[in-house]
Amino acid sequence: MKVTVIGTGFVGVVSAAVFASLENTVIGLDIDEKKVSSLKQGEVPFFEPDLEKLLLSQQKLGHLSFTTNYATAIPTAEVIIIAVGTPSNEDGHADLSYLYASLDSLAEHIKDDVIIAVKSTVPPGTLMAVEKYLRQRTNKNFELASLPEFLREGSAVEDTLHPDRVVIGVDSEEAFQKLRTLHQPLTNTILKVKPSSAQMGKYSSNAYLATRITFINQIADLCEHNGADIEEVIAILGQDKRIGSHYWYPGLGYGGSCFPKDVRELARYSQEVGESNNIFNKIHELNEDRIPKLLEEFGSKVGGWSGKKVAVLGLSFKPHTNDMREAPSVRIIPKLLAAGAHIVGFDPQALTSAPYFLKSHPQLEYSSDIAAAIAEADVVMALVEWPEIINFDFESVVYTKPQRLFIDARNQFEILALKKAGFKYQGIGRTYAD
Ligand code: NAD
C-alpha cells in the first residue's frame, strides 16, 4: 500500500518505519527541513531504542523515504496518516493549528478516494470539523478516519509492532477495510468504532492512567503520616483482581508530552460541554501542586535549599528516551536554582536535549559521569529509573559531604545499600528511621 505519514516526530517516524517494514511504500513528510535531512541519512533526531536500525534498513530496501514536499508525497498516497503535534495552548485547549496547516497543504494534491487518517490526539468532534474544512478546499473524494496512537516513548517500536489494540474510528466500511488491511499484520485486535469514540477512547486512556498516578500519590502522602510503606500498600492492592498490580507509580506526578496536555484538554472540553464538576480539573491541579509541595518537604529535611549542592539524576521524563517535554527535571531544577541550590544534572541520553529545555539556566552544570555528579553533593535526587542509575554502586564513591540525603523519587533503590553508602534515605510514601 502507498502510505504517506505527515509529521515525522516521535509518533510519525515510528509509524512510517513500521508500516515500511510491512512492505508498504511509505513516505514521511515533514516541514522541518533539518529533521528530514537527518532522517534521510538514517539518523533519528531523538533517542528511541531500535528505531535507527529499522529506519536504516527500510530506507536501504527502498520501502521508506522522507521529504518536505507535499507535491511529491501526497498525489501517490492511498492512505495519508496525519501525526503532527497537538500541544496545549495556555488555556488548556489542544492547539490544532498544525493539523489545519497540514490540511491546507495537502488539499490541492490529494487523489480521488484517498483515506486521510488523523493519528494526532484531537478532541472529539474534530473529524467533523476537518471534513467540512477539507470539502471547502478540494472536489476530490476522500474518506476520513480517526486512528489514535497508544505507543509509549522508550518502547515505541515494540509498542507499534505489537499494539494492545488498533482503534479505527470511521463511518465508512470501505475505509475501515483498507485501514484494517494495513494494520492486520500487527494485531488481530482491531476495533471499528465511531470517530468520536476513538477520540474519547484515547483521551480516556491517558486520563485514566494520569488519575491512577494521582490516586497513588495521594495514598503515598497519607502513608507519610502513619508509617505505612506505599510499596507494601501497593502489594496489597495488587492482589485484588479488580485492581491489579501493574501501573502503580508513586512519585513526583505524571509528565511527558501527552498526559499533562490530554488531561488539560479533557478538563477544558468537559467545561465547554457544561460538565464543569469533573475530576479532570482536580487531577491537573493536584499534579501541578505536587512538585512544589514535595520540594518544600524535602527542603525542610536539609535545612533549606540555599547553598546546597544537588545532583539531579535523570533529566528525561522517563527512562529510555531523551524527551524532556514536561519532565520532572524541567520543573524541579528552575525551582531549586531559584532557591539558591547549585545543581549538577546527569542523564544517560538527555544531556543532548537538556541545554535546550533548560536554556534559561546557564548556571546549571551537567555531568556524563554519575560518580562525578554526586561526589560533592549534599542531596542526590534520583528522578528517573534509568538502569544506569538504579544499578550504580553508590558505595563505590568517595564523598566529600558527611551529611547526605538521597531522594528516591521513584522508590526504586535498596534502602540498606544507600544507608551503607552514608545517605539518609527519603522515598515517596515510605518513612524509615535513620
Ligand atoms: P512531535 O512534536 O514529536 O512531532 C510532530 C511533527 O509534526 C514535527 O516533526 C513537526 O515538524 C511536524 N509538523 C508540524 N506541522 C506540520 C505540517 N504542517 N506538515 C508536516 N509536518 C508538520 O509530536 P509527537 O510526539 O510525534 O506527537 C504527535 C501526535 O501524536 C500528538 O497529537 C500527540 O499527542 C500524539 N501522541 C504522541 C505520543 C508520544 O508518546 N509522543 C503518543 C501517543 C499519541
Side-chain angles (χ1 to χ4, degrees), residues 252 311-319 321 323-324 327-330 332-333 344-351 354 358 367 370 373 380-386 389 409-410:
L252 299 166
V312 176
L313 306 184
L315 303 174
S316 55
F317 89 92
K318 64 175 191 176
T321 178
D323 193 352
M324 287 177 63
S329 66
V330 174
I332 285 174
I333 287 172
V344 183
F346 163 85
D347 194 283
Q349 290 293 337
L351 290 183
L358 292 159
S367 173
I370 299 187
V380 173
M381 211 179 246
L383 300 185
V384 183
E385 64 275 33
W386 278 101
I389 300 173
R410 308 292 289 168

Side-chain angles (χ1 to χ4, degrees), residues 187-238:
T187 177
N188 287 326
T189 312
I190 297 180
L191 307 180
K192 181 187 175 204
V193 298
K194 294 181 192 173
S196 286
S197 306
Q199 290 146 4
M200 274 307 291
K202 172 63 196 171
Y203 278 102
S204 313
S205 171
N206 278 358
Y208 174 73
L209 296 172
T211 305
R212 207 161 151 120
I213 289 170
T214 308
F215 169 81
I216 208 64
N217 283 338
Q218 297 269 283
I219 301 292
D221 287 355
L222 297 182
C223 290
E224 299 266 357
H225 290 277
N226 53 40
D229 182 326
I230 188 67
E231 297 302 330
E232 292 178 355
V233 173
I234 287 171
I236 298 165
L237 278 176

Side-chain angles (χ1 to χ4, degrees), residues 88-380:
S88 254
N89 273 336
E90 289 209 339
D91 65 354
H93 256 97
D95 176 357
L96 302 182
S97 60
Y98 301 102
L99 171 67
Y100 282 102
S102 71
L103 299 175
D104 284 336
S105 307
L106 70 82
E108 61 174 303
H109 300 296
I110 54 172
K111 67 172 185 178
D112 262 327
D113 302 325
V114 65
I115 294 169
I116 302 170
V118 178
K119 186 169 269 304
S120 303
T121 305
V122 294
T126 302
L127 222 59
M128 269 159 61
V130 164
E131 165 128 38
K132 198 168 154 207
Y133 194 82
L134 269 181
R135 296 263 177 242
Q136 290 163 352
R137 282 161 181 76
T138 178
N139 294 323
K140 297 279 165 54
N141 288 326
F142 61 84
E143 293 290 350
L144 287 176
S146 177
L147 196 61
E149 179 57 66
F150 297 91
L151 64 72
R152 296 160 300 172
E153 288 179 23
S155 53
V157 173
E158 180 61 20
D159 288 352
T160 308
L161 282 168
H162 306 288
D164 291 342
R165 74 302 212 187
V166 165
V167 176
I168 303 175
V170 271
D171 292 323
S172 130
E173 181 60 24
E174 233 183 335
F176 172 68
Q177 289 306 338
K178 187 128 195 173
L179 290 171
R180 182 162 76 165
T181 305
L182 181 65
H183 290 87
Q184 193 87 69
L186 301 173
T187 177
N188 287 326
T189 312
I190 297 180
L191 307 180
K192 181 187 175 204
V193 298
K194 294 181 192 173
S196 286
S197 306
Q199 290 146 4
M200 274 307 291
K202 172 63 196 171
Y203 278 102
S204 313
S205 171
N206 278 358
Y208 174 73
L209 296 172
T211 305
R212 207 161 151 120
I213 289 170
T214 308
F215 169 81
I216 208 64
N217 283 338
Q218 297 269 283
I219 301 292
D221 287 355
L222 297 182
C223 290
E224 299 266 357
H225 290 277
N226 53 40
D229 182 326
I230 188 67
E231 297 302 330
E232 292 178 355
V233 173
I234 287 171
I236 298 165
L237 278 176
Q239 291 307 312
D240 189 323
K241 288 189 179 58
R242 295 166 302 176
I243 298 174
S245 56
H246 63 287
Y247 213 81
W248 292 120
Y249 296 116
L252 299 166
Y254 57 82
S257 67
C258 291
F259 287 8
K261 80 171 174 68
D262 292 349
V263 171
R264 284 187 81 200
E265 170 57 32
L266 206 52
R268 187 213 57 80
Y269 177 76
S270 307
Q271 206 90 25
E272 182 185 294
V273 298
E275 302 291 348
S276 48
N277 195 9
N278 62 75
I279 62 167
F280 312 116
N281 274 320
K282 194 67 196 170
I283 297 291
H284 170 65
E285 197 185 301
L286 287 167
N287 198 60
E288 284 292 293
D289 291 348
R290 183 137 190 90
I291 283 177
K293 173 180 186 278
L294 289 179
L295 281 187
E296 200 175 317
E297 284 171 23
F298 297 154
S300 70
K301 307 211 167 186
V302 290
W305 294 109
S306 182
K308 297 292 180 319
K309 287 202 163 184
V310 182
V312 176
L313 306 184
L315 303 174
S316 55
F317 89 92
K318 64 175 191 176
H320 310 294
T321 178
N322 63 350
D323 193 352
M324 287 177 63
R325 287 179 283 185
E326 305 246 5
S329 66
V330 174
R331 298 188 56 211
I332 285 174
I333 287 172
K335 286 187 169 52
L336 290 179
L337 289 171
H342 304 281
I343 314 278
V344 183
F346 163 85
D347 194 283
Q349 290 293 337
L351 290 183
T352 45
S353 30
Y356 169 76
F357 282 94
L358 292 159
K359 56 179 171 288
S360 36
H361 306 285
Q363 72 274 48
L364 170 59
E365 290 174 40
Y366 299 105
S367 173
S368 55
D369 176 35
I370 299 187
I374 66 177
E376 293 177 12
D378 298 287
V379 180
V380 173

